[in-house]
Amino acid sequence: MEAKYIFVTGGVVSSLGKGIISASLACLLKARGYRVTIQKFDPYINIDPGTLNPYEHGECYVTVDGHEADLDLGHYERFTNVQTTRANNVTTGRIYQSVIDKERRGDYLGKTVQIIPHITDEIKRNVKMLGNTGQYDFVITEIGGTVGDIESLPFLEAVRQLRWELGTDALCLHLTYVPYLKAAKELKTKPTQNSVKQLQHIGIQPDILVLRTEKDIPQDMRRKIAQFCNVAPDAVVQSIDRPTIYEVPIMMHEQHLDEIVLKKMDVDFKGQPDMAPWLEFLYKLQEAEEEVTIGLVGKYVELQDAYKSINEALFQAATYSDHKLNLKYIHSEKLTDANAEELLGELDGVIIAPGFGQRGIEGKFAALKYCRTHDIPTFGICLGMQCMVIEFARNVLGYADANSTEMNPTVQHNVIDLMEEQKSVSNMGGTMRLGAYECALRPESRVARAYGSTTVSERHRHRFEFNNAYRDQFERAGMQCVGENPATHLVEVVELPDKRWFVGTQYHPEYSSTVLNPNPLFIDFVKAAIEYGRERAEKK
Ligand code: GLN
């Protein structure tokens, strides 16, 4: 069938979870056997979120083809098990860049270049790009921001035009908020009514409303909203807060969201989505009683979204290991040799987070020294792996000054150094070593056993690398370089085989971990942490 387009907009306030609703709907359609993809259009002027710091925008996600993307693409992959690419995340900046390039080339043949039709046409071309590949039955397009924002207007105008042109091959789902006023003991529908009016004013009539709420919205109130907003009563669905986002697809299915969509889009369908593996995951989650306690050492620990993919990968691994995840954030700036015992002593496993720059780095070294000498299962990711190498160089090889040239450009023992290909780079945006690269693993390594394979492909986002001039010295002293890129010999994985579990990866295995296909390295790490926890409990 021709691709059908579902547009997801949001109103009243931001952070309502448009990404989760889009991903949940995609998950249900996929479980019905349809080919589905989700794309996000972000109304900011940055070309991509790669240059935004986590305080601005949370984690930067990375696609297999090396695009630095909005973290919602992580949700899309975790919920659908379908990989995304550069085409799945477009910003206002990308749209304008492309229009301005065309104008400079003379493609507009002397015309005045305007928001309508030139910007809106470019948006429409991007909306339809994935649909036109013939690879998808449904393309879900999430429009970032909140209806009423100035910057999302051109996107909404493009949606209005597409809705008109595509007829029943397009559908609009609007997510709003129904607040509960404690003092009045009442749920309030007015913000939803106003937000739908704003959409209607732009010329978009939503087909489906999803109401985010903390309390159950009674049927008569839903009918009232339907009536005020020109929406069919059965197409008003509530999204009540759940303990985990992974329950949202089930909650949407219970209210027939997938069927409503298929009916409205004139799709013949039979039966129910096959959610058996998903329900199995939720069942494990519900049944888990014992806890595994993992510490995450990083400098953005006060931000909920800064390490999103790591949190989710750990959560999936703990659930599949029949344990509840107790994740403790440890601020690397507050960690020292003196308080390492107090902050890390009771943990079953420690993750040393990715990152950039000097801030908090000494705390990561202190954590690693403690974990290594106390044999705590430890997983270093990207900068975390680089810190493992530096700490080992300082405290085992005896190079007290050892560092990355990122932190100290003139350091003598530059055990982590700028990659050759990065030396000529001057632009910061989109120029790191990005995306999936192959990695060859030594067959006897813990990592190869965990993956059950000696070649893997994982995603990257870095400029610095293990300095191969030191490789022999590290290996003789016990730190093995067990994974490397077969073409460039860049060290991808280090491990200390004489420890319980001490592994660092230059790549980010968290990006590829999904609910139905959790990452094997996270599973192996969490298993080692559980075992270590048991050993300690037995000794007590
Ligand atoms: N700052 C380091 C580098 O650029 C690590 C990056 C990361 O952790 N993503 O190589």
Side-chain angles (χ1 to χ4, degrees), residues 306-527:
Y307 304 111
K308 193 84 199 161
S309 295
I310 294 179
N311 299 357
E312 298 307 313
L314 279 173
F315 183 80
Q316 291 153 6
T319 305
Y320 279 110
S321 313
D322 301 302
H323 274 65
K324 279 194 184 129
L325 175 67
N326 177 15
L327 185 57
K328 290 203 151 77
Y329 294 102
I330 298 151
H331 204 307
S332 51
E333 277 184 295
K334 299 197 177 126
L335 222 158
T336 61
D337 284 337
N339 65 15
E341 169 85 34
E342 182 196 331
L343 293 174
L344 308 172
E346 289 303 309
L347 301 172
D348 300 327
V350 173
I351 298 235
I352 310 292
F356 296 84
Q358 172 69 31
R359 184 165 72 88
I361 199 91
E362 294 297 328
K364 287 186 173 171
F365 298 143
L368 282 162
K369 183 175 169 196
Y370 183 85
C371 291
R372 184 176 54 75
T373 52
H374 291 78
D375 201 1
I376 299 174
T378 308
F379 193 175
I381 300 176
C382 205
L383 180 65
M385 170 269 198
Q386 297 174 356
C387 288
M388 274 183 168
V389 170
I390 296 166
E391 190 278 329
F392 194 84
R394 288 186 182 183
N395 298 321
V396 179
L397 300 185
Y399 298 136
D401 70 319
N403 215 333
S404 163
T405 47
E406 179 180 2
M407 315 306 159
N408 177 0
T410 57
V411 65
Q412 191 196 346
H413 293 101
N414 54 342
V415 290
I416 302 292
D417 201 4
L418 190 63
M419 281 183 280
E420 197 52 44
E421 72 212 46
Q422 288 287 327
K423 292 189 177 153
S424 55
V425 166
S426 54
N427 265 354
M428 286 294 117
T431 53
M432 282 188 243
R433 178 172 180 253
L434 290 165
Y437 285 91
E438 202 173 285
C439 168
L441 297 169
R442 270 192 217 153
E444 74 282 7
S445 66
R446 176 183 290 281
V447 176
R449 276 181 279 134
Y451 278 106
S453 170
T454 52
T455 38
V456 293
S457 175
E458 296 276 16
R459 305 175 207 184
H460 298 73
R461 184 171 185 247
H462 65 122
R463 293 187 203 282
F464 294 82
E465 65 176 331
F466 181 97
N467 183 344
N468 268 320
Y470 289 93
R471 193 159 170 162
D472 284 348
Q473 285 185 55
F474 275 90
E475 299 223 322
R476 266 185 271 123
M479 182 171 267
Q480 302 300 320
C481 302
V482 297
E484 66 167 27
N485 179 283
T488 60
H489 303 294
L490 182 146
V491 172
E492 293 279 15
V493 188
V494 296
E495 68 181 41
L496 293 179
D498 60 336
K499 299 288 173 201
R500 281 196 174 82
W501 207 101
F502 202 91
V503 173
T505 60
Q506 183 58 75
Y507 56 74
H508 292 257
E510 69 273 22
Y511 291 142
S512 66
S513 194
T514 71
V515 170
L516 298 184
N517 196 13
N519 186 280
L521 210 47
F522 275 90
I523 299 257
D524 203 57
F525 166 65
V526 167
K527 285 222 155 74

